[in-house]
Amino acid sequence: PASICQRLWLSTSPNSSEEARRIYTEDELASMVSGLSSERANSDENVAAYLASNFTEDDTDHLQEFLKMQEELKEKVESGEGLEESVDPLAALNINRMSCHTRCQETEEGTRAGRRMRKQGMIPGVIYGRDPVKKIPPFDEKHIIYVKTPDRYIYSGINRHGWRDFESRVYDLTVEETGEVHRVMPTGLQVHPVKEKFICLNFIRYFPGKPIKIPIKPINVEESPAMKRGGFIVWQNRHLECVVEDGVPIPEFLELECTGLERKQVLRQERLTFPDGVKVSHRVKDSWLLGSVFGKAAKDEIGPEA
């Protein structure tokens, strides 16, 4: 007796005596099912009925077009064709995006209004600072914009860059009500000491040539004799104020070369690697200190003689 699947195929398949049976090729079968040869598909009535009831000619044509588009896209990716157009200009400069809302000075100002906004997930703040690109002078109260930022955007930035480095990133901040875009840096983030909830976050305008504090990251730690013995760096400054030229990507961090570091060695600017277009701000003094290397000496590892 025929199985249940066979009876289902026969019940849903067209009558082979009334309609001409379709001939399947190996390429068509490969796009529909795997492990089925064209010989069996064209000779077995049950298999042919199943294919005819589940895969129409229109579905097969659409699938073939989709596979063809995938092959063309793969060839473009391998050849690099058209990738320049798809590159985000902000991502190329290492600038992130964020949005905020305007804040009414009359109804959304004060302690009670601030508490109410925070319960709604909005963190109050202002956009301030000069911007020579937009011809905004410094210390001009007319260009101070009162805003409130959704706390989920702040959490997202902190989860991505960390608490220390969040204020060292540049954002294109979009004001939803007006559509204006301001290039800013987060500053003055206030957090509740017990609840660890955000209280206030301001934004200062950024422009090419404005000093920005870039975090420092040690590299080649395994090449340091002191670090391999369990040594560590006592940081005096985890960020260095630098100036990034126009059109140059803002680096995520500056590399601190740790090769050959010994115990009690003082770390200064000479061990930092600066990308092209990034230089130290003139406000950084020559006596600027990064930190020192501490740890046990080599003789401390030698145990007592038996």
Side-chain angles (χ1 to χ4, degrees):
S3 63
I4 298 177
C5 292
Q6 290 175 342
R7 289 198 298 270
L8 179 61
W9 294 345
L10 293 173
S11 62
T12 57
S13 62
N15 191 353
S16 59
S17 61
E18 297 178 357
E19 299 181 6
R21 179 181 297 178
R22 180 181 175 185
I23 303 300
Y24 297 95
T25 62
E26 292 289 347
D27 296 336
E28 291 177 341
L29 292 174
S31 62
M32 293 187 292
V33 293
S34 60
L36 180 62
S37 62
S38 60
E39 181 180 357
R40 183 184 176 187
N42 296 322
S43 60
D44 194 329
E45 295 182 357
N46 293 331
V47 175
Y50 171 77
L51 295 174
S53 60
N54 290 276
F55 300 97
T56 62
E57 294 186 5
D58 293 337
D59 294 338
T60 306
D61 294 340
H62 291 320
L63 186 56
Q64 291 291 342
E65 292 179 1
F66 176 72
L67 294 175
K68 185 178 179 181
M69 291 175 59
Q70 278 190 328
E71 290 295 333
E72 294 178 354
L73 180 60
K74 184 179 179 180
E75 293 177 357
K76 287 185 178 181
V77 171
E78 292 177 353
S79 61
E81 180 183 355
L83 294 181
E84 295 80 3
E85 300 178 358
S86 61
V87 174
D88 187 0
L90 293 182
L93 296 175
N94 201 8
I95 297 176
N96 305 304
R97 287 185 172 88
M98 188 183 291
S99 62
C100 64
H101 301 271
T102 55
R103 180 163 57 93
C104 181
Q105 293 183 249
E106 297 180 358
T107 60
E108 295 180 325
E109 186 70 21
T111 304
R112 293 184 179 180
R115 188 181 297 115
R116 184 171 58 253
M117 283 187 292
R118 295 184 192 99
K119 288 182 178 180
Q120 298 173 354
M122 294 290 180
I123 309 303
V126 296
I127 301 175
Y128 70 99
R130 74 185 187 97
D131 188 356
V133 178
K134 296 184 178 180
K135 298 181 180 180
I136 298 177
F139 311 110
D140 190 355
E141 296 184 358
K142 296 180 180 179
H143 292 88
I144 295 178
I145 303 175
Y146 292 80
V147 296
K148 51 185 178 181
T149 309
D151 56 0
R152 63 180 184 275
Y153 296 150
I154 306 175
Y155 281 115
S156 177
I158 291 176
N159 291 335
R160 181 177 179 182
H161 303 289
W163 285 88
R164 285 196 192 97
D165 304 337
F166 172 64
E167 296 187 2
S168 299
R169 308 315 311 163
V170 177
Y171 290 84
D172 263 11
L173 185 65
T174 303
V175 182
E176 295 291 346
E177 286 74 12
T178 61
E180 295 180 354
V181 179
H182 302 269
R183 186 154 295 180
V184 298
M185 292 188 299
T187 182
L189 176 61
Q190 299 180 18
V191 184
H192 194 281
V194 178
K195 299 180 181 179
E196 294 186 354
K197 293 185 177 180
F198 303 126
I199 298 176
C200 176
L201 177 63
N202 299 323
F203 300 94
I204 185 170
R205 294 184 177 92
Y206 175 82
F207 52 88
K210 182 181 180 63
I212 177 174
K213 292 184 177 181
I214 301 178
I216 299 171
K217 179 181 179 181
I219 62 171
N220 298 328
V221 178
E222 65 280 357
E223 301 297 331
S224 168
M227 306 287 275
K228 287 195 296 185
R229 293 194 299 267
F232 55 91
I233 299 175
V234 178
W235 297 93
Q236 298 294 329
N237 293 284
R238 291 182 177 269
H239 299 78
L240 178 60
E241 191 174 73
C242 298
V243 175
V244 183
E245 297 179 0
D246 189 12
V248 176
I250 301 173
E252 288 279 350
F253 51 84
L254 298 176
E255 295 180 349
L256 170 64
E257 181 59 58
C258 296
T259 302
L261 280 183
E262 297 290 349
R263 191 171 69 99
K264 296 184 180 180
Q265 187 170 349
V266 178
L267 305 179
R268 299 188 184 274
Q269 300 180 25
E270 292 78 12
R271 283 192 168 267
L272 296 177
T273 303
F274 294 91
D276 295 336
V278 180
K279 59 183 179 180
V280 182
S281 173
H282 67 277
R283 298 190 295 191
V284 178
K285 299 181 180 180
D286 296 335
S287 60
W288 182 86
L289 180 64
L290 193 154
S292 304
V293 182
F294 277 72
K296 58 184 179 180
K299 62 180 181 180
D300 297 338
E301 290 186 338
I302 304 176
E305 296 182 0

